[in-house]
Amino acid sequence: MEKLIYIPIAIGVCCGAFLAYWTTRPLIAKFGKDRASLRFAQWGSLIGALAMALPAFVFSMIAGGSLGGLMVELAGSNDILKHIGVPFGLSLGIAIVLGGGLAVGVILGALVGAFLARALRKSEPGDLPG
């Protein structure tokens, strides 16, 4: 029975990753004015997501456990809700916090990539006046 706790964790992680992808995909396309800056923004977003993955996962486990415990407390004396509350709260907390953390990493990484592409484009020798 103790091994079943991995199922809501896996569901929460998958839903959190999908939530981050779904919310940030339209934003990344707006960072690129041309093909090169779009490529820099995409690579920056990937690096930002990888950098935020571990901290977001740690905080999502803490938030998910707290939310699961809160749902058990709110269930009161109802045994069915007590058994459903912990896995549901755990997966919901993980999905929300992990998705938000990854989305922040993706957006910050894409901004850095877009600024880097803009700086490289302005520093090209053909663009200098004179």
Side-chain angles (χ1 to χ4, degrees):
M1 186 70 177
E2 292 84 21
K3 303 229 185 233
L4 292 179
I5 199 68
Y6 296 120
I7 294 172
I9 292 172
I11 290 171
V13 167
C14 290
C15 290
F18 177 74
L19 180 69
Y21 174 77
W22 181 66
T23 57
T24 59
R25 187 172 184 255
L27 297 173
I28 301 303
K30 294 181 182 181
F31 286 134
K33 302 277 189 249
D34 57 353
R35 198 168 190 67
S37 62
L38 179 64
R39 185 66 63 191
F40 271 100
Q42 288 172 340
W43 278 105
S45 66
L46 178 67
I47 292 169
L50 290 175
M52 282 297 291
L54 184 63
F57 182 72
V58 169
F59 287 127
S60 70
M61 293 297 284
I62 294 168
S66 299
L67 191 60
L70 177 69
M71 293 188 128
V72 167
E73 290 296 320
L74 291 176
S77 62
N78 193 345
D79 288 335
I80 295 173
L81 289 179
K82 280 187 179 182
H83 292 295
I84 295 173
V86 172
F88 182 74
L90 184 63
S91 62
L92 184 67
I94 289 172
I96 291 171
V97 175
L98 184 67
L102 288 178
V104 166
V106 165
I107 291 172
L108 290 177
L111 281 172
V112 169
F115 288 142
L116 182 63
R118 187 171 297 145
L120 288 175
R121 185 174 54 234
K122 287 186 178 186
S123 69
E124 288 179 357
D127 293 341
L128 296 176

